[in-house]
């Protein structure tokens, strides 16, 4: 199987590493940055690199789109007539509703797009930080559409296991985006708001324990990618932000009113939920 | 030097372990639970255990109070005439203004209370979860009062280094409580509000990456201790909660208005701050 990865950044590069480790030898890469291609070749994780897909696209069986969310649809529009017969496409994008319906509308019958979301990242960008270590034991979501062929879903699932992912789950685009707003986007909102609410110039670092360190780790983020993810999933994100605010206000009210019993109740609830996780 | 630890829970037990590892052999323990004393003796981390302090208090050079914040002042009131001459007292409490002024008021001249806050914890309680591993490399705060003798401050600092703490800093009660509201209490508020805002019965665990896991870890908390800490530092906590809300609202507004530029600005700010940490 010939595999082409579009975008050799932190995730695309990680995929190339994982595929190499899993024994795949015919992996090709596209990246607009020649330096990145040079590095990928030197690492031995791609067989050949290209600064655009024109030359290689019609020769590969599987295309992995590891590019920004706003570029996914453009890529399909540009290449829909060029894919190899019965080619499979997959992606790594954190939101799906933004493009999934448009894409399944315009794809030729024989081309199957198995939308996917590897739930593993890093607070960095670029191939220099890419690693397949983060995939090991992580969650992997497949966002199924009515057009997907069972054999292709199975192929991507097999690939995910081979790359080290542990829990693989099929879900719908709508439910995916709703859940992701809560489990991934809202935590990023909280991390950013937390660290941005600090008062500058007071050596906060000397007063922290693990909690502040853990909660702000993800405040280090790729601003271009995350603003696209937030705005591309706007309605869902605002909904979970509102739900969060209600809980936050509940705690605030209990503190204002010295309501120890209510506070304990909220903490018992959160403890139970965390233990169940 | 004879050392007495009052309360052999997760922190007191950890102190006993750290002191043993540092070579201190005359460490005694008080705990109202005989089972805990039995376990501590079996672990070899105390020389002798007592269910109350009456018998031992006047024989020790250093008393470590590892008890709930609301019990610290009572302990001093009860024992102020019983301490050994020139005894040193220290504590491990997460807030200080609640009792620090009252205590230095009533303590005899020769007794020196060096208030301290080891910035390391666990989401559990009891001696079964105690470990000195969490102290290694952690921050340690000394909350200095006008009555402290320099030699005693130095002794507690030396002890903290010997127990594995890495960064030791002296600060004032007021600044301590203000900073702790931000670096420790606010993160706990966010973790609780986040996990409590989930909708039940939808297998959230299958949709999470590291971010949700990290941000909710501390939602598993000792409800009695944390409601005391929150209410005992109410004004400071409400202040940082308000600052957080302003930043949260800023992000929300940017999303509502599709203001990509503003969002990127906020993310660049948070990234810079996190990298500086």
């Amino acid at each position: 199987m010939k595999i082409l990865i579009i975008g050799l950044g932190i995730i695309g590069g990680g995929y190339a590493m994982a595929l190499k480790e899993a024994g795949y030898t015919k992996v090709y890469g596209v990246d607009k940055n020649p330096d990145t291609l040079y590095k990928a070749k030197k690492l031995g994780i791609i067989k050949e690199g290209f600064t655009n897909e024109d030359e290689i696209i019609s020769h590969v069986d599987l295309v992995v789109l590891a590019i920004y969310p706003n570029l996914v649809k453009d890529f399909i529009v540009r290449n829909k007539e060029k894919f190899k017969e019965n080619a499979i496409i997959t992606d790594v994008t954190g939101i799906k509703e933004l493009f999934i319906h448009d894409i399944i509308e315009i794809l030729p019958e024989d081309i199957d797009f198995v939308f996917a979301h590897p739930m593993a990242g890093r607070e960095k960008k670029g191939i220099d930080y890419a690693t397949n270590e983060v995939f090991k034991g992580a969650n992997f979501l497949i966002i199924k559409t009515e057009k997907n062929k069972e054999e292709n879903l199975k192929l991507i699932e097999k690939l995910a296991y081979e790359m080290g992912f542990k829990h693989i789950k099929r879900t719908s685009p709508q439910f995916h985006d709703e859940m992701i707003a809560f489990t991934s986007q809202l935590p990023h909102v909280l991390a950013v708001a937390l660290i941005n609410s600090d008062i500058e110039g007071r050596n906060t670092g000397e007063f922290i324990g693990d909690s502040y360190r853990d909660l702000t780790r993800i405040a280090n983020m790729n601003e271009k990618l995350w603003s696209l993810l937030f705005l591309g999933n706007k309605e869902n994100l605002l909904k979970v932000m509102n739900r969060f605010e209600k809980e936050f206000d509940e705690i605030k009210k209990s503190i204002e009113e010295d309501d120890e019993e209510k506070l304990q109740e909220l903490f018992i609830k959160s403890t139970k939920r965390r233990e169940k996780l």
Side-chain angles (χ1 to χ4, degrees), chain A:
Chain A
M1 184 170 60
K2 283 188 180 170
I3 303 175
L4 176 64
I5 301 173
I6 311 294
L8 294 169
I10 189 146
I11 298 295
Y15 263 56
M17 289 171 189
L19 289 170
K20 186 194 174 184
E21 207 172 291
Y24 290 87
T25 54
K26 287 178 270 178
V27 176
Y28 300 84
V30 167
D31 200 286
K32 60 176 191 285
N33 185 346
D35 264 8
T36 298
L37 295 172
Y38 175 79
K39 284 175 186 164
K41 246 197 118 170
K42 214 175 146 195
L43 286 167
I45 57 175
I46 59 167
K47 201 174 154 97
E48 197 54 66
F50 306 86
T51 52
N52 69 61
E53 71 272 12
D54 296 348
E55 209 179 310
I56 180 80
I57 193 75
S58 44
H59 302 289
V60 298
D61 307 289
L62 170 66
V63 180
V64 179
L65 300 179
I67 52 181
Y68 282 81
N70 59 330
L71 304 177
V72 175
K73 187 181 159 187
D74 288 354
F75 184 92
I76 298 300
V77 170
R78 193 163 74 231
N79 290 293
K80 65 179 164 33
E81 308 300 341
K82 298 182 195 155
F83 293 115
K84 189 175 168 185
E85 204 181 335
N86 294 318
I88 305 170
I89 309 170
T90 188
D91 72 331
V92 303
T93 323
I95 51 175
K96 300 301 178 193
E97 291 269 12
L98 183 68
F99 48 68
I100 201 165
H101 305 289
D102 291 350
I103 286 175
I104 55 175
E105 199 67 34
I106 58 175
L107 264 187
E109 266 313 301
D110 65 311
I111 308 299
D112 199 6
F113 200 138
V114 178
F115 296 89
H117 183 183
M119 297 284 296
R122 272 280 173 95
E123 300 68 49
K124 298 280 179 187
K125 55 184 168 184
I127 194 165
D128 294 337
Y129 296 103
T131 164
N132 58 323
E133 287 305 313
V134 291
F135 301 152
K136 292 176 182 169
N139 284 336
F140 189 91
L141 302 173
I142 292 202
I143 295 82
K144 200 175 163 284
T145 72
E146 282 172 21
K147 289 207 176 169
N148 287 138
K149 293 184 189 101
E150 182 60 31
E151 63 194 85
N152 294 335
L153 293 168
K154 287 227 170 79
L155 185 139
I156 296 298
E157 282 168 355
K158 178 172 162 277
L159 215 60
Y161 280 123
E162 288 174 341
M163 290 198 295
F165 290 93
K166 198 168 170 190
H167 303 283
I168 297 175
K169 178 164 176 82
R170 295 183 187 182
T171 183
S172 71
Q174 190 192 345
F175 193 62
H176 170 270
D177 283 12
E178 213 180 295
M179 287 303 292
I180 268 5
F182 177 66
T183 61
S184 167
Q185 301 189 323
L186 179 56
H188 281 81
V189 169
L190 303 183
V192 170
L194 173 60
I195 204 163
N196 283 354
S197 77
D198 192 9
I199 294 167
E200 280 201 288
R202 51 177 198 175
N203 297 328
T204 305
E206 291 169 330
F207 292 84
I208 64 174
D210 287 340
S211 57
Y212 189 79
R213 233 187 311 268
D214 281 359
L215 265 84
T216 58
R217 184 179 59 81
I218 55 171
N220 185 336
M221 59 207 267
N222 174 340
E223 70 276 6
K224 196 180 150 198
L225 173 63
W226 280 94
S227 54
L228 290 168
L229 291 172
F230 277 21
L231 297 177
N233 197 24
K234 184 175 163 168
E235 299 310 323
N236 285 319
L237 180 51
L238 289 172
K239 233 180 267 173
V240 296
M241 286 177 80
N242 287 335
R243 276 211 310 272
F244 170 84
E245 273 184 300
K246 266 187 205 148
E247 293 294 331
F248 183 92
D249 288 343
E250 187 113 49
I251 300 172
K252 197 171 164 186
K253 200 174 144 238
S254 310
I255 297 169
E256 282 166 346
E257 297 174 356
D258 284 308
D259 192 344
E260 196 174 337
E261 203 181 317
K262 177 73 191 172
L263 271 182
Q264 290 199 17
E265 218 175 85
L266 295 171
F267 299 162
I268 289 169
K269 182 176 167 184
S270 72
T271 299
K272 271 193 198 142
R273 286 181 168 208
R274 186 53 172 88
E275 280 170 353
K276 235 179 71 184
L277 199 68

